[in-house]
Amino acid sequence: MSLPDRIDPPPPRRIYRWDLDKTYLQTDFESLRDLFRTAFQKAHEKVAIPGASALIRELAEQGDSRLCIVSGSPKQMRAVLEEKLKLDGIQWDEFVLKDNVGNLLRGRFRALRGQVGYKLPAILESRVHAPVEAEEVLFGDDAEADAFIYSLYADLIAGRVDERVLSQVLEAGGVYPDDVARVQEAWKKIPIADPVRRIFIHLDKLTPPAHFTPYGPRVVPIFNYFQAALVLLADGHLTAPQVLKIAVEMVQTAGHNIITLSNSFQDLLRRGLPLQQAAIALSQAMEGPNALLKAMRPMPDILAAFSKRLAALGTQPPPPRVQAVDYVSLISHALPRTHKGRTLKPPT
Protein backbone atom coordinates (compact mmCIF):
# COMPACT_ATOMS: atom_id res chain seq x y z
CA MET A 1 0.00 0.00 0.00
CA SER A 2 1.46 3.34 -1.02
CA LEU A 3 1.34 6.32 1.26
CA PRO A 4 0.07 9.70 0.05
CA ASP A 5 2.71 12.24 -0.92
CA ARG A 6 1.17 14.77 1.45
CA ILE A 7 -1.46 15.04 4.13
CA ASP A 8 -3.73 18.02 3.62
CA PRO A 9 -4.63 19.94 6.78
CA PRO A 10 -8.22 19.57 7.99
CA PRO A 11 -10.64 22.24 6.79
CA PRO A 12 -10.77 25.24 9.11
CA ARG A 13 -13.49 25.37 11.73
CA ARG A 14 -12.94 29.09 12.26
CA ILE A 15 -11.57 31.89 10.10
CA TYR A 16 -10.10 35.04 11.62
CA ARG A 17 -9.84 37.97 9.21
CA TRP A 18 -7.58 40.88 10.16
CA ASP A 19 -6.72 44.28 8.80
CA LEU A 20 -3.19 45.51 9.57
CA ASP A 21 -2.83 49.29 9.81
CA LYS A 22 -4.42 50.63 13.00
CA THR A 23 -5.90 47.18 13.68
CA TYR A 24 -2.74 45.15 14.23
CA LEU A 25 0.00 47.74 13.71
CA GLN A 26 0.32 51.15 15.32
CA THR A 27 0.35 53.19 12.11
CA ASP A 28 0.24 56.93 11.47
CA PHE A 29 -0.49 58.26 8.01
CA GLU A 30 -2.46 61.39 8.78
CA SER A 31 0.19 63.55 7.11
CA LEU A 32 2.60 63.15 4.20
CA ARG A 33 5.50 62.96 6.68
CA ASP A 34 3.75 60.14 8.56
CA LEU A 35 3.11 58.33 5.29
CA PHE A 36 6.76 58.45 4.26
CA ARG A 37 7.96 57.39 7.71
CA THR A 38 5.62 54.40 7.69
CA ALA A 39 6.67 53.43 4.16
CA PHE A 40 10.38 53.34 5.04
CA GLN A 41 10.15 51.70 8.47
CA LYS A 42 12.06 48.47 8.91
CA ALA A 43 10.28 45.44 10.31
CA HIS A 44 11.78 45.77 13.80
CA GLU A 45 10.69 49.44 13.93
CA LYS A 46 7.03 48.62 13.40
CA VAL A 47 5.01 48.24 16.60
CA ALA A 48 2.04 45.98 17.09
CA ILE A 49 -0.94 47.27 19.07
CA PRO A 50 -0.68 45.87 22.62
CA GLY A 51 -2.25 42.45 22.93
CA ALA A 52 -2.86 41.96 19.21
CA SER A 53 -0.08 39.47 18.54
CA ALA A 54 -0.80 37.58 21.76
CA LEU A 55 -4.47 37.35 20.80
CA ILE A 56 -3.68 35.99 17.32
CA ARG A 57 -1.28 33.41 18.73
CA GLU A 58 -3.81 32.20 21.30
CA LEU A 59 -6.59 31.96 18.71
CA ALA A 60 -4.29 29.76 16.61
CA GLU A 61 -3.63 27.35 19.49
CA GLN A 62 -6.55 25.06 18.63
CA GLY A 63 -5.02 24.30 15.24
CA ASP A 64 -8.36 24.32 13.42
CA SER A 65 -8.44 27.93 12.25
CA ARG A 66 -7.14 30.11 9.42
CA LEU A 67 -5.67 33.61 9.64
CA CYS A 68 -6.56 35.74 6.63
CA ILE A 69 -5.10 39.24 6.37
CA VAL A 70 -6.44 41.87 3.97
CA SER A 71 -4.57 45.14 4.29
CA GLY A 72 -4.73 48.43 2.44
CA SER A 73 -0.93 48.64 2.55
CA PRO A 74 0.68 48.52 -0.90
CA LYS A 75 2.10 45.30 -2.35
CA GLN A 76 5.59 46.83 -2.28
CA MET A 77 5.54 46.51 1.54
CA ARG A 78 4.96 42.75 1.55
CA ALA A 79 8.52 41.78 2.49
CA VAL A 80 8.79 44.11 5.49
CA LEU A 81 5.25 43.29 6.71
CA GLU A 82 5.85 39.56 6.45
CA GLU A 83 9.11 39.97 8.34
CA LYS A 84 7.32 41.93 11.08
CA LEU A 85 4.67 39.21 11.44
CA LYS A 86 7.37 36.55 11.69
CA LEU A 87 9.16 38.56 14.37
CA ASP A 88 5.89 38.58 16.33
CA GLY A 89 5.45 34.82 15.96
CA ILE A 90 2.44 35.14 13.64
CA GLN A 91 1.68 32.50 11.02
CA TRP A 92 -0.85 33.39 8.34
CA ASP A 93 -2.73 31.51 5.65
CA GLU A 94 -3.72 34.38 3.33
CA PHE A 95 -2.12 37.79 2.97
CA VAL A 96 -3.65 40.24 0.50
CA LEU A 97 -2.16 43.70 -0.13
CA LYS A 98 -3.38 46.53 -2.31
CA ASP A 99 -2.06 47.07 -5.84
CA ASN A 100 -1.72 50.84 -5.63
CA VAL A 101 0.90 51.00 -8.38
CA GLY A 102 -1.48 49.19 -10.70
CA ASN A 103 -4.28 51.55 -9.71
CA LEU A 104 -2.07 54.55 -10.51
CA LEU A 105 -0.99 53.19 -13.88
CA ARG A 106 -4.61 52.54 -14.82
CA GLY A 107 -5.77 55.96 -13.65
CA ARG A 108 -7.95 54.45 -10.92
CA PHE A 109 -7.40 57.28 -8.46
CA ARG A 110 -10.51 56.60 -6.35
CA ALA A 111 -9.15 53.12 -5.68
CA LEU A 112 -6.02 54.51 -4.01
CA ARG A 113 -7.99 55.34 -0.88
CA GLY A 114 -11.25 53.53 -1.54
CA GLN A 115 -11.90 50.50 0.65
CA VAL A 116 -15.28 49.09 -0.40
CA GLY A 117 -14.08 48.23 -3.90
CA TYR A 118 -10.91 46.69 -2.49
CA LYS A 119 -11.79 44.81 0.69
CA LEU A 120 -15.28 43.58 -0.19
CA PRO A 121 -14.29 41.59 -3.31
CA ALA A 122 -11.12 40.35 -1.59
CA ILE A 123 -12.91 38.80 1.38
CA LEU A 124 -15.79 37.49 -0.75
CA GLU A 125 -13.29 35.74 -3.04
CA SER A 126 -11.59 34.27 0.03
CA ARG A 127 -14.93 32.99 1.35
CA VAL A 128 -15.60 31.15 -1.92
CA HIS A 129 -12.95 28.61 -0.92
CA ALA A 130 -14.02 28.26 2.74
CA PRO A 131 -16.12 25.39 4.13
CA VAL A 132 -19.73 26.46 4.38
CA GLU A 133 -19.77 25.58 8.09
CA ALA A 134 -16.63 27.62 8.97
CA GLU A 135 -17.37 30.44 11.42
CA GLU A 136 -15.71 33.83 11.07
CA VAL A 137 -14.52 36.64 13.34
CA LEU A 138 -13.32 39.86 11.73
CA PHE A 139 -11.00 42.54 13.09
CA GLY A 140 -10.82 46.11 11.78
CA ASP A 141 -10.60 49.69 12.99
CA ASP A 142 -12.45 52.99 12.97
CA ALA A 143 -10.02 54.80 10.66
CA GLU A 144 -11.75 53.61 7.50
CA ALA A 145 -15.02 51.82 6.78
CA ASP A 146 -14.31 48.41 8.26
CA ALA A 147 -17.52 48.15 10.29
CA PHE A 148 -19.55 48.97 7.18
CA ILE A 149 -17.66 46.62 4.84
CA TYR A 150 -17.51 43.70 7.26
CA SER A 151 -21.21 43.98 8.15
CA LEU A 152 -22.16 44.20 4.50
CA TYR A 153 -20.02 41.14 3.78
CA ALA A 154 -21.70 39.19 6.59
CA ASP A 155 -25.21 40.10 5.47
CA LEU A 156 -24.45 39.41 1.81
CA ILE A 157 -23.41 35.82 2.41
CA ALA A 158 -26.30 35.35 4.85
CA GLY A 159 -28.82 36.45 2.22
CA ARG A 160 -29.98 39.52 4.13
CA VAL A 161 -28.91 42.00 1.42
CA ASP A 162 -30.41 41.81 -2.06
CA GLU A 163 -28.86 42.74 -5.39
CA ARG A 164 -30.69 46.06 -5.61
CA VAL A 165 -29.26 47.33 -2.31
CA LEU A 166 -25.81 45.99 -3.16
CA SER A 167 -25.82 47.85 -6.48
CA GLN A 168 -26.83 51.09 -4.77
CA VAL A 169 -24.08 50.72 -2.17
CA LEU A 170 -21.38 49.95 -4.74
CA GLU A 171 -22.40 52.92 -6.85
CA ALA A 172 -22.47 55.25 -3.85
CA GLY A 173 -19.05 53.92 -2.82
CA GLY A 174 -17.55 54.83 -6.20
CA VAL A 175 -16.57 51.21 -6.90
CA TYR A 176 -15.10 50.66 -10.38
CA PRO A 177 -17.02 48.38 -12.79
CA ASP A 178 -14.41 45.57 -12.77
CA ASP A 179 -14.53 45.43 -8.97
CA VAL A 180 -18.34 45.46 -9.08
CA ALA A 181 -18.10 42.42 -11.37
CA ARG A 182 -15.72 40.69 -8.93
CA VAL A 183 -18.14 41.28 -6.05
CA GLN A 184 -21.10 39.92 -8.02
CA GLU A 185 -19.21 36.90 -9.31
CA ALA A 186 -17.80 35.86 -5.93
CA TRP A 187 -21.08 36.51 -4.09
CA LYS A 188 -23.01 34.20 -6.43
CA LYS A 189 -20.54 31.37 -5.82
CA ILE A 190 -20.93 31.41 -2.02
CA PRO A 191 -23.60 29.15 -0.48
CA ILE A 192 -26.01 31.05 1.75
CA ALA A 193 -24.88 30.76 5.36
CA ASP A 194 -24.53 32.96 8.43
CA PRO A 195 -20.93 32.39 9.55
CA VAL A 196 -19.83 35.81 10.89
CA ARG A 197 -20.01 35.65 14.66
CA ARG A 198 -18.28 38.88 15.68
CA ILE A 199 -16.80 42.00 14.14
CA PHE A 200 -14.30 43.80 16.37
CA ILE A 201 -13.50 47.43 15.62
CA HIS A 202 -10.35 48.78 17.26
CA LEU A 203 -11.05 52.39 18.25
CA ASP A 204 -7.81 53.93 17.04
CA LYS A 205 -9.53 57.31 16.60
CA LEU A 206 -11.44 56.89 19.88
CA THR A 207 -14.77 56.99 18.07
CA PRO A 208 -17.59 56.71 20.66
CA PRO A 209 -18.84 53.10 20.73
CA ALA A 210 -22.42 54.31 20.29
CA HIS A 211 -21.46 55.35 16.74
CA PHE A 212 -21.58 51.67 15.78
CA THR A 213 -25.01 50.94 17.27
CA PRO A 214 -26.73 50.89 13.83
CA TYR A 215 -24.70 47.79 12.95
CA GLY A 216 -26.15 45.79 15.85
CA PRO A 217 -24.48 43.78 18.64
CA ARG A 218 -22.46 41.65 16.22
CA VAL A 219 -20.13 44.67 15.88
CA VAL A 220 -18.15 45.22 19.09
CA PRO A 221 -16.03 48.39 19.32
CA ILE A 222 -12.97 47.84 21.51
CA PHE A 223 -10.44 50.19 23.08
CA ASN A 224 -7.91 47.38 23.52
CA TYR A 225 -7.44 43.68 22.81
CA PHE A 226 -8.12 42.61 26.39
CA GLN A 227 -11.72 43.59 25.64
CA ALA A 228 -11.71 41.48 22.49
CA ALA A 229 -10.27 38.55 24.46
CA LEU A 230 -13.03 38.83 27.08
CA VAL A 231 -15.77 38.71 24.44
CA LEU A 232 -14.05 35.81 22.66
CA LEU A 233 -13.90 33.98 25.99
CA ALA A 234 -17.64 34.47 26.38
CA ASP A 235 -18.13 33.29 22.77
CA GLY A 236 -16.09 30.13 23.31
CA HIS A 237 -13.07 31.01 21.15
CA LEU A 238 -10.63 31.32 24.06
CA THR A 239 -10.19 29.75 27.47
CA ALA A 240 -9.79 31.74 30.67
CA PRO A 241 -6.05 30.88 31.00
CA GLN A 242 -5.52 32.14 27.45
CA VAL A 243 -7.18 35.45 28.30
CA LEU A 244 -4.94 35.75 31.35
CA LYS A 245 -1.84 35.16 29.20
CA ILE A 246 -2.94 38.02 26.92
CA ALA A 247 -3.58 40.28 29.92
CA VAL A 248 -0.21 39.46 31.50
CA GLU A 249 1.62 40.25 28.25
CA MET A 250 -0.19 43.59 28.04
CA VAL A 251 0.80 44.38 31.63
CA GLN A 252 4.42 43.31 31.26
CA THR A 253 5.22 44.75 27.83
CA ALA A 254 2.79 47.55 27.03
CA GLY A 255 2.32 49.59 30.17
CA HIS A 256 -1.17 48.38 31.03
CA ASN A 257 -2.03 47.78 34.67
CA ILE A 258 -4.77 46.27 36.75
CA ILE A 259 -6.71 49.55 36.75
CA THR A 260 -6.79 49.93 32.96
CA LEU A 261 -7.77 46.28 32.50
CA SER A 262 -10.51 46.41 35.12
CA ASN A 263 -11.83 49.63 33.57
CA SER A 264 -11.91 47.83 30.21
CA PHE A 265 -13.95 45.03 31.77
CA GLN A 266 -16.39 47.49 33.34
CA ASP A 267 -16.76 49.36 30.05
CA LEU A 268 -18.00 46.16 28.37
CA LEU A 269 -20.40 45.53 31.24
CA ARG A 270 -21.84 49.02 30.92
CA ARG A 271 -22.43 48.33 27.23
CA GLY A 272 -24.41 45.21 28.07
CA LEU A 273 -22.03 42.52 26.82
CA PRO A 274 -22.99 39.12 28.33
CA LEU A 275 -19.82 38.45 30.34
CA GLN A 276 -21.11 36.77 33.50
CA GLN A 277 -19.74 33.33 32.65
CA ALA A 278 -16.48 34.88 31.47
CA ALA A 279 -16.03 36.60 34.85
CA ILE A 280 -16.67 33.34 36.68
CA ALA A 281 -14.24 31.42 34.46
CA LEU A 282 -11.51 34.02 35.00
CA SER A 283 -12.05 33.97 38.77
CA GLN A 284 -11.66 30.20 38.82
CA ALA A 285 -8.58 30.31 36.59
CA MET A 286 -6.88 32.76 38.96
CA GLU A 287 -7.25 30.63 42.06
CA GLY A 288 -4.00 29.11 43.30
CA PRO A 289 -0.36 30.16 43.79
CA ASN A 290 0.67 30.22 40.12
CA ALA A 291 3.46 32.80 39.70
CA LEU A 292 2.02 34.01 36.40
CA LEU A 293 -1.27 34.81 38.08
CA LYS A 294 0.39 36.73 40.90
CA ALA A 295 1.21 39.39 38.32
CA MET A 296 -2.51 39.98 37.99
CA ARG A 297 -3.30 40.55 41.69
CA PRO A 298 -5.73 41.95 42.79
CA MET A 299 -7.63 40.89 39.66
CA PRO A 300 -9.33 37.95 41.48
CA ASP A 301 -10.98 40.36 43.92
CA ILE A 302 -12.10 42.60 41.07
CA LEU A 303 -13.51 39.64 39.14
CA ALA A 304 -15.29 38.40 42.24
CA ALA A 305 -16.89 41.84 42.64
CA PHE A 306 -17.92 41.80 38.97
CA SER A 307 -19.45 38.34 39.39
CA LYS A 308 -21.49 39.50 42.41
CA ARG A 309 -22.63 42.58 40.52
CA LEU A 310 -23.71 40.49 37.55
CA ALA A 311 -25.48 37.98 39.79
CA ALA A 312 -27.39 40.82 41.46
CA LEU A 313 -28.52 42.06 38.07
CA GLY A 314 -29.84 38.60 37.19
CA THR A 315 -29.21 36.64 34.03
CA GLN A 316 -30.53 38.70 31.16
CA PRO A 317 -30.95 37.08 27.76
CA PRO A 318 -28.26 38.33 25.37
CA PRO A 319 -29.45 40.73 22.67
CA PRO A 320 -29.94 39.30 19.18
CA ARG A 321 -26.59 38.97 17.42
CA VAL A 322 -27.95 40.31 14.14
CA GLN A 323 -30.26 43.18 13.34
CA ALA A 324 -31.37 44.74 10.06
CA VAL A 325 -28.84 47.28 8.78
CA ASP A 326 -29.77 50.12 6.41
CA TYR A 327 -26.62 50.17 4.29
CA VAL A 328 -27.87 52.74 1.80
CA SER A 329 -28.37 55.26 4.60
CA LEU A 330 -25.18 54.36 6.42
CA ILE A 331 -22.78 54.61 3.49
CA SER A 332 -22.84 58.40 3.48
CA HIS A 333 -21.58 58.36 7.09
CA ALA A 334 -19.28 55.36 6.79
CA LEU A 335 -17.08 56.53 3.93
CA PRO A 336 -14.77 59.55 3.88
CA ARG A 337 -15.65 62.12 1.24
CA THR A 338 -12.79 61.10 -1.01
CA HIS A 339 -14.22 57.58 -1.29
CA LYS A 340 -17.72 58.43 -2.36
CA GLY A 341 -19.34 58.15 -5.71
CA ARG A 342 -22.84 59.45 -6.27
CA THR A 343 -24.92 60.33 -3.20
CA LEU A 344 -28.04 58.21 -2.94
CA LYS A 345 -31.20 58.64 -0.97
CA PRO A 346 -32.56 55.69 1.00
CA PRO A 347 -35.30 53.80 -0.86
CA THR A 348 -38.82 54.79 0.14
Side-chain angles (χ1 to χ4, degrees):
M1 184 179 72
S2 62
L3 295 175
D5 293 332
R6 68 175 189 179
I7 299 176
D8 292 328
R13 185 164 152 255
R14 288 169 174 155
I15 298 171
Y16 300 107
R17 301 192 187 277
W18 281 73
D19 186 16
L20 277 187
D21 294 318
K22 299 181 181 291
T23 301
Y24 179 79
L25 291 174
Q26 295 180 2
T27 310
D28 292 319
F29 41 72
E30 305 303 325
S31 68
L32 191 59
R33 176 182 294 180
D34 293 335
L35 191 62
F36 274 105
R37 184 175 64 248
T38 298
F40 290 102
Q41 276 181 328
K42 294 180 172 57
H44 70 273
E45 296 173 325
K46 293 185 177 296
V47 180
I49 293 168
S53 57
L55 175 58
I56 291 177
R57 291 194 299 269
E58 294 303 322
L59 289 172
E61 277 295 303
Q62 298 297 327
D64 58 356
S65 65
R66 288 175 62 84
L67 172 61
C68 303
I69 300 170
V70 177
S71 169
S73 295
K75 288 184 174 182
Q76 290 72 23
M77 293 184 66
R78 178 175 294 276
V80 70
L81 292 173
E82 287 186 349
E83 184 181 351
K84 169 59 180 172
L85 291 170
K86 290 175 183 177
L87 288 173
D88 291 349
I90 305 300
Q91 296 181 333
W92 62 92
D93 299 280
E94 295 179 19
F95 194 177
V96 180
L97 295 171
K98 202 171 189 180
D99 186 13
N100 273 342
V101 171
N103 286 326
L104 274 172
L105 293 176
R106 296 167 62 190
R108 292 161 48 98
F109 301 114
R110 290 198 309 274
L112 296 175
R113 289 183 55 84
Q115 294 297 316
V116 176
Y118 166 62
K119 283 189 177 178
L120 185 58
I123 56 180
L124 283 169
E125 288 167 349
S126 175
R127 182 70 196 183
V128 167
H129 306 290
V132 67
E133 66 276 7
E135 297 181 352
E136 297 200 14
V137 177
L138 292 81
F139 298 82
D141 58 74
D142 61 344
E144 294 285 355
D146 288 343
F148 182 91
I149 295 168
Y150 290 167
S151 292
L152 178 61
Y153 163 74
D155 285 342
L156 277 171
I157 58 180
R160 287 186 287 267
V161 172
D162 60 27
E163 193 161 353
R164 177 181 61 89
V165 170
L166 176 61
S167 296
Q168 288 183 298
V169 167
L170 295 179
E171 183 178 359
V175 178
Y176 285 97
D178 58 337
D179 290 326
V180 170
R182 287 175 59 203
V183 168
Q184 296 281 3
E185 182 180 356
W187 179 36
K188 291 173 182 177
K189 291 179 180 177
I190 300 171
I192 292 179
D194 195 8
V196 177
R197 294 293 174 259
R198 289 286 182 189
I199 297 169
F200 291 102
I201 299 297
H202 178 245
L203 299 175
D204 178 80
K205 296 171 63 177
L206 301 180
T207 304
H211 174 82
F212 300 94
T213 300
Y215 296 103
R218 178 178 56 198
V219 173
V220 180
I222 55 167
F223 290 100
N224 57 60
Y225 282 107
F226 179 60
Q227 290 187 318
L230 289 170
V231 176
L232 289 168
L233 169 61
D235 289 349
H237 290 251
L238 293 172
T239 65
Q242 286 180 304
V243 175
L244 292 177
K245 284 175 67 176
I246 294 166
V248 168
E249 180 170 312
M250 293 174 66
V251 168
Q252 293 180 338
T253 66
H256 283 266
N257 56 52
I258 198 64
I259 295 175
T260 61
L261 295 182
S262 60
N263 287 344
S264 296
F265 204 133
Q266 292 188 73
D267 172 58
L268 293 178
L269 293 180
R270 283 193 296 269
R271 290 195 251 152
L273 273 294
L275 296 179
Q276 183 172 15
Q277 294 304 313
I280 294 170
L282 286 172
S283 295
Q284 293 172 345
M286 298 192 75
E287 293 175 354
N290 190 302
L292 179 68
L293 303 183
K294 287 181 180 178
M296 300 303 296
R297 303 290 176 183
M299 181 64 97
D301 298 329
I302 294 171
L303 287 171
F306 287 164
S307 297
K308 290 179 181 177
R309 176 183 169 193
L310 288 167
L313 292 173
T315 54
Q316 300 294 327
R321 188 172 56 83
V322 175
Q323 70 182 41
V325 180
D326 186 351
Y327 291 102
V328 175
S329 295
L330 282 174
I331 193 168
S332 61
H333 302 287
L335 303 185
R337 292 182 183 276
T338 54
H339 294 197
K340 296 176 188 173
R342 186 168 67 86
T343 301
L344 296 179
K345 294 181 179 180
T348 55

